Amino acid sequence: MEEQQGDAGRKGRLLIIGGAENRTCGAGPLEAFAGLAGGEHARIVVVTTATEVPEEVADQYTAVFGRLGVTSVRELRLLGRAAADDSATLRALESATGVLFSGGDQSRIRTLVGSRTNELLKRRLEQEGLVIAGTSAGATAMGHWMILGGHGHDVAASSVKVGPGLGLLDNVLIDMHFNERGRLPRLLSGIALDIRLLGVGIDEDTAIVVGDGHFTVVGTGVVTVVDAGQATVAYAASDDEPMAMFDVSLHLLPAGCSFQMHDRLPAIGTMRGANGEVG
Amino acid sequence: MEEQQGDAGRKGRLLIIGGAENRTCGAGPLEAFAGLAGGEHARIVVVTTATEVPEEVADQYTAVFGRLGVTSVRELRLLGRAAADDSATLRALESATGVLFSGGDQSRIRTLVGSRTNELLKRRLEQEGLVIAGTSAGATAMGHWMILGGHGHDVAASSVKVGPGLGLLDNVLIDMHFNERGRLPRLLSGIALDIRLLGVGIDEDTAIVVGDGHFTVVGTGVVTVVDAGQATVAYAASDDEPMAMFDVSLHLLPAGCSFQMHDRLPAIGTMRGANGEVG
């Protein structure tokens, strides 16, 4: 049921980053995130569950947000379900204005799926205007389903592995480092599993800012949208063989473009807009 | 005018191979070519203009066609316009049943564009049932336009360089080694130049067999068709910046699939058909 509900009426913002975002000069996706979370008054929590080097990652983000004028930055490591259900964790998240999921290995984020942390994030996103960002591994985890791995240049059943995600954005399957790593075959293999899923491939240093039923693109790269809603898919005899796929609609959206998710319509907003609020 | 005419009524066949075709066991695109050209009775000319190692390439093809039972294999090197306009060249091509353009650097094939060789090939393809194949560099040269180079993971004006081709297949822009080298951005950059062009990206060891207004797919990989006929294209301020592109229709065709070029409709033929004559 929840899947059909969509995101209409949502108060918060999701900022989904394709990885390798600029962390030095303060421009781009992280600046958009800090701004949406309240600028100098933001209270940011960095969730480092996905990475194997949490101290390093937390230090990096603390430094970049500091340069952007945000002094309240806290790390939550959340290495197991107990931590994700812990009252102290929930209190920390309850007072945040922005939550950022770091990169790393998205398989490690599975421990949070369905936890009290997950529920709190979803509620505060929908009802209280919380801003949630995820980059790289943290990006694909935002969806109802997340891509856990996969490779191969063919569109084939064996080219992708998916599992349940945090469910902060329904009906969408997200992939990252997209053109840099040539991941269109992996994303198409994923949406072939359920052609109702909208495929969203996000380049490095690029993000979608998801508002009320639509998203806008910020950053230096492109967002590739693949819509198989009207497609014909014919699986091959074996999972390793390429499948046939007809009538997939493809959209390439650089910064400033926007996309209406319910009607699945792309639009050119104010090209090169920076704050993600372009309609 | 010629461009609008299409290929209806054409008697010959074009076999356009994405490169790196199997040359050892005798299966796949080269076997289809030899069969279409007459099997044991074929008279094959290998045009080695594109390659810098013509002896080696000619020897390889002579060997593989020999294993397929074809004993009449002749090399034409055609290293300049004089050779391409020479009467001896035309006589050799006049008696051929199949002509294969090797791989190499397609820039070298430009010397043949508009030559008497070019005219003869076009006439015999249309009126006399000649079978013409091209692989890799020789593949993209088949089109009215050919891709001469380009790189970059973005769809941008600077990501592709095109020039006139041999014009054996109208309204189509061909790219090769397609998924292996992640060339969708290059092909999309090419069709953005003229959205009436149908983009056809051919994987290695894979070919399209072009008949009367349609083609079928043979080989082990996939043919990617991009149709921007209904697309919206917005160029960026600079040639190096990514452009916006909406509503491109994408089709993935493994072996046995076919495509009607005039109506731009894909179809599933007899999957895994081998001889290229599947409708």
Side-chain angles (χ1 to χ4, degrees), chain B residues 8-238:
Chain B
R10 166 181 285 181
K11 292 184 177 172
R13 291 284 181 275
L14 269 181
L15 202 139
I16 309 179
I17 309 170
E21 70 280 0
N22 190 328
R23 294 176 203 176
T24 52
C25 77
L30 292 181
E31 188 172 17
F33 171 66
L36 288 168
E40 294 182 6
H41 306 293
R43 293 182 300 280
I44 292 177
V45 169
V46 179
V47 180
T48 55
T49 307
T51 179
E52 291 188 345
V53 287
E55 292 89 351
E56 190 182 316
V57 167
D59 286 351
Q60 279 178 4
Y61 282 115
T62 301
V64 66
F65 288 130
R67 284 194 292 276
L68 290 164
V70 181
T71 51
S72 172
V73 182
R74 175 173 176 175
E75 183 201 356
L76 280 181
R77 208 158 292 183
L78 306 184
L79 291 183
R81 187 56 171 255
D85 286 336
D86 187 70
S87 299
T89 299
L90 302 180
R91 277 196 302 276
L93 291 168
E94 200 68 65
S95 63
T97 60
V99 176
L100 170 70
F101 282 79
S102 77
D105 178 354
Q106 57 266 40
S107 300
R108 296 163 61 99
I109 300 179
R110 287 182 296 186
T111 192
L112 306 185
V113 172
S115 67
R116 293 177 70 194
T117 285
N118 195 166
E119 286 166 17
L120 180 148
L121 292 173
K122 194 163 183 174
R123 174 180 56 77
R124 293 206 60 218
L125 174 72
E126 286 167 1
Q127 299 170 18
E128 297 178 20
L130 180 63
V131 180
I132 303 178
T135 182
S136 191
T140 185
M142 298 290 109
H144 201 84
W145 293 92
M146 64 169 147
I147 291 179
L148 291 167
H151 59 278
H153 65 71
D154 280 329
V155 177
S158 63
S159 293
V160 70
K161 184 182 172 195
V162 300
L166 296 171
L168 303 177
L169 184 60
D170 291 332
N171 303 319
V172 167
L173 189 66
I174 294 155
D175 208 348
M176 63 289 181
H177 303 283
F178 194 69
N179 270 316
E180 292 81 3
R181 300 189 188 173
R183 283 179 164 169
L184 182 64
R186 176 164 105 165
L187 183 60
L188 287 171
S189 302
I191 63 170
L193 297 168
D194 181 350
I195 61 171
R196 295 169 302 180
L197 292 170
L198 185 75
V200 178
I202 307 175
D203 284 1
E204 294 179 354
D205 194 34
T206 305
I208 62 170
V209 182
V210 186
D212 200 4
H214 74 282
F215 65 75
T216 56
V217 178
V218 296
T220 55
V222 171
V223 171
T224 302
V225 175
V226 283
D227 176 3
Q230 305 300 317
T232 300
V233 176
Y235 275 85
S238 110

Side-chain angles (χ1 to χ4, degrees), chain A residues 153 155 179-180 184 188 203 222 234 241-254 257 266-268 272, chain B residues 153-155 179-180 184 188 203 222 234 241-254 257 266-268 272:
Chain A
H153 64 72
V155 177
N179 271 316
E180 292 81 3
L184 182 64
L188 287 171
D203 284 2
V222 171
E241 282 181 82
M243 64 180 76
M245 216 165 174
F246 303 160
D247 298 308
V248 175
S249 193
L250 174 77
H251 313 286
L252 304 178
L253 314 179
C257 288
I268 295 178
R272 309 285 155 216
Chain B
H153 65 71
D154 280 329
V155 177
N179 270 316
E180 292 81 3
L184 182 64
L188 287 171
D203 284 1
V222 171
E241 284 180 82
M243 63 179 75
M245 215 165 176
F246 302 159
D247 299 307
V248 175
S249 194
L250 174 76
H251 312 286
L252 303 178
L253 315 179
C257 288
I268 295 177
R272 308 286 156 214

Side-chain angles (χ1 to χ4, degrees), chain A:
Chain A
M1 292 297 288
E2 234 163 28
E3 280 171 89
Q4 303 309 314
Q5 223 172 287
D7 310 302
R10 166 182 286 181
K11 292 183 174 172
R13 290 285 180 275
L14 268 182
L15 201 138
I16 309 180
I17 310 170
E21 69 280 0
N22 190 327
R23 294 174 204 177
T24 52
C25 76
L30 291 181
E31 189 172 15
F33 172 65
L36 289 168
E40 293 181 7
H41 306 293
R43 292 182 301 280
I44 291 177
V45 169
V46 179
V47 179
T48 55
T49 307
T51 178
E52 290 188 344
V53 287
E55 293 89 351
E56 190 182 316
V57 167
D59 286 351
Q60 280 179 3
Y61 284 115
T62 302
V64 67
F65 289 129
R67 286 193 292 278
L68 290 165
V70 181
T71 51
S72 172
V73 182
R74 175 173 177 177
E75 183 202 356
L76 280 181
R77 207 158 291 182
L78 306 183
L79 291 183
R81 188 56 171 257
D85 287 335
D86 186 70
S87 299
T89 299
L90 302 180
R91 277 196 301 277
L93 291 168
E94 199 68 64
S95 63
T97 61
V99 176
L100 170 70
F101 282 79
S102 78
D105 178 353
Q106 56 267 40
S107 300
R108 297 163 61 97
I109 300 180
R110 288 182 294 185
T111 191
L112 307 185
V113 171
S115 66
R116 293 176 71 192
T117 285
N118 195 167
E119 286 166 17
L120 180 148
L121 292 172
K122 194 161 185 177
R123 174 180 57 77
R124 293 205 60 218
L125 174 71
E126 287 168 1
Q127 299 171 17
E128 297 177 20
L130 180 64
V131 180
I132 303 177
T135 183
S136 190
T140 185
M142 299 289 108
H144 201 85
W145 292 92
M146 64 169 147
I147 291 180
L148 291 166
H151 58 278
H153 64 72
D154 281 329
V155 177
S158 62
S159 293
V160 69
K161 185 183 169 193
V162 300
L166 296 171
L168 303 177
L169 184 60
D170 291 332
N171 302 319
V172 166
L173 189 66
I174 295 155
D175 209 347
M176 63 287 181
H177 303 284
F178 194 70
N179 271 316
E180 292 81 3
R181 300 191 188 171
R183 283 181 164 166
L184 182 64
R186 177 165 102 165
L187 183 59
L188 287 171
S189 302
I191 64 169
L193 296 169
D194 180 351
I195 61 171
R196 295 170 303 179
L197 293 169
L198 186 74
V200 178
I202 308 174
D203 284 2
E204 294 179 355
D205 195 33
T206 305
I208 61 169
V209 182
V210 186
D212 201 4
H214 74 282
F215 65 75
T216 57
V217 178
V218 297
T220 55
V222 171
V223 171
T224 302
V225 175
V226 282
D227 176 2
Q230 305 300 317
T232 299
V233 175
Y235 275 85
S238 108
D239 281 1
D240 291 327
E241 282 181 82
M243 64 180 76
M245 216 165 174
F246 303 160
D247 298 308
V248 175
S249 193
L250 174 77
H251 313 286
L252 304 178
L253 314 179
C257 288
S258 61
F259 194 84
Q260 297 291 338
M261 288 183 286
H262 297 155
D263 301 329
R264 298 196 164 189
L265 290 177
I268 295 178
T270 306
M271 293 294 285
R272 309 285 155 216
N275 67 357
E277 289 298 318
V278 175

